Amino acid sequence: MLDTSLKGTDLAPFSARVECDRLRFFAQVTGEENPLFSDEAVARARGHPSLPLPPTFLFCLEMAGPRPMEVYERLRVDYAHVLHGEQHFVYHRLAFAGEALHFKPRIADLYEKKGGALGFIVRETRVEASDGAPVADLRSVLIVRPPQPENGHPTPRTPRAAVPAADGDLPGLVAGPITRHQLGLYAGASGDYNPLHIDIDHARQAGMPDVFAHGMLSAAYLARMLTRRAEPAALRRLSVRFTAITHIGDEVHCRARVSGQHVEQGEARWTLALTTGNQSGETRLTGTAVVAAAAADSFMTDCLP
């Protein structure tokens, strides 16, 4: 049972600064080909002070903070039994290499489902610049599940034909197949050393047949698909929900579909429906992105349903 009296509790604030070399490593590990995220000369030529942080990298900085396990320690939760359920980003402006960022996390909500069999931890984090101006708001939904019996080997999956692109779909992206080496590199690049993804013995003790991919690795591939089509400064929101595990050997097929247009804060914006699936067409992640229309019309218009 989660101690709901801790709902609304502030966690220890911290500051973080990332250098260009780490961003280059992250770009290399996630297959990022856009030179904006690895070449300072390109970034400056496009009006930036240094390399911009990729859209999902603020979560990596949060994981690499001085007390990444504080929320679990406070709640007396075994980290081995925690799965990442959802991740949400609201962007107020780009962040850059060399910039000091200040993180203010809190336990926003605690609740249970299935008669207490599943616990849900909602952590919210405000990221601010040195002058106190908002940079981004992060929201993580973490699922605490009971220990599971060992499952042996994964259940064989019947291959299905890949779903063809439909009207309204943006050009997709395929990454992988996922390897153990890839997961080790991503752990180092992101700071997410959850042993469920890199330690097979630990994964089996938690009831998993093997290690499996970080959900945020697939989210990074999705973000890479978006920023190769639109300027990263055009991204207003990114939300992902992890619906199933991406296994060793799986490919990650990323797709985005224009689902609507609206005006928010006086700005025209496109909404995109996002998914990732494996080579058999099985969905692994769903999500949404909101992009400023002025910076994206050139390619969105041709993809309207």
Side-chain angles (χ1 to χ4, degrees):
M1 298 288 288
L2 296 175
D3 183 358
T4 57
S5 69
L6 293 175
K7 185 187 302 185
T9 301
D10 290 337
L11 301 171
F14 64 95
S15 298
R17 189 192 306 267
V18 62
E19 301 304 329
C20 289
D21 284 347
R22 185 175 174 193
L23 294 182
R24 292 190 187 100
F25 182 42
F26 185 84
Q28 178 184 4
V29 168
T30 58
E32 179 60 75
E33 299 172 346
N34 187 339
L36 177 66
F37 295 104
S38 57
D39 188 328
E40 287 181 89
V42 170
R44 291 195 177 99
R46 288 162 69 172
H48 302 309
S50 187
L51 298 182
L53 272 60
T56 64
F57 199 80
L58 288 170
F59 175 82
C60 302
L61 289 180
E62 186 172 37
M63 289 295 295
R67 297 186 62 187
M69 298 295 106
E70 181 186 8
V71 64
Y72 311 116
E73 294 166 356
R74 291 265 195 112
L75 293 167
R76 299 186 180 183
V77 166
D78 186 346
Y79 186 45
H81 302 142
V82 175
L83 295 176
H84 199 171
E86 301 175 21
Q87 184 62 44
H88 306 267
F89 301 87
V90 176
Y91 305 101
H92 303 293
R93 70 160 176 83
L94 284 178
F96 299 95
E99 182 177 11
L101 299 173
H102 305 286
F103 290 71
K104 298 179 178 180
R106 61 189 289 268
I107 301 173
D109 200 5
L110 298 166
Y111 58 94
E112 295 175 341
K113 292 184 177 180
K114 296 187 177 181
L118 295 177
F120 292 79
I121 305 168
V122 181
R123 181 182 63 211
E124 294 181 347
T125 304
R126 166 57 65 102
V127 184
E128 297 178 347
S130 296
D131 61 1
V135 172
D137 292 298
L138 282 58
R139 184 172 183 265
S140 304
V141 179
L142 309 160
I143 304 171
V144 184
R145 66 188 189 106
Q148 304 290 319
E150 290 193 27
N151 295 323
H153 298 287
T155 301
R157 300 185 295 278
T158 302
R160 298 203 303 267
V163 178
D167 291 342
D169 281 9
L170 276 64
L173 179 149
V174 178
I178 298 297
T179 66
R180 299 177 198 280
H181 180 63
Q182 171 77 6
L183 298 186
L185 288 175
Y186 181 76
S190 67
D192 186 350
Y193 290 98
N194 186 330
L196 289 173
H197 305 302
I198 53 178
D199 185 334
I200 188 170
D201 291 332
H202 189 98
R204 287 176 174 168
Q205 289 171 8
M208 300 294 182
D210 200 346
V211 298
F212 54 94
H214 308 70
M216 291 304 293
L217 175 57
S218 292
Y221 292 145
L222 273 176
R224 177 181 141 204
M225 177 183 65
L226 296 173
T227 57
R228 74 180 184 179
R229 304 290 301 180
E231 286 293 322
L235 190 58
R236 299 292 179 259
R237 291 195 295 275
L238 176 63
S239 295
V240 294
R241 181 174 182 267
F242 308 108
T243 59
I245 286 172
T246 297
H247 297 279
I248 297 292
D250 274 352
E251 295 176 351
V252 181
H253 292 242
C254 301
R255 295 178 65 182
R257 179 180 175 82
V258 178
S259 60
Q261 186 180 26
H262 65 282
V263 175
E264 185 176 344
Q265 297 180 2
E267 179 182 62
R269 298 177 178 180
W270 292 108
T271 301
L272 308 178
L274 310 175
T275 61
T276 70
N278 63 8
Q279 63 278 7
S280 300
E282 299 164 326
T283 300
R284 295 291 183 245
L285 178 158
T286 62
T288 60
V290 176
V291 182
D297 274 346
S298 61
F299 74 92
M300 295 291 186
T301 302
D302 294 336
C303 298
L304 279 173

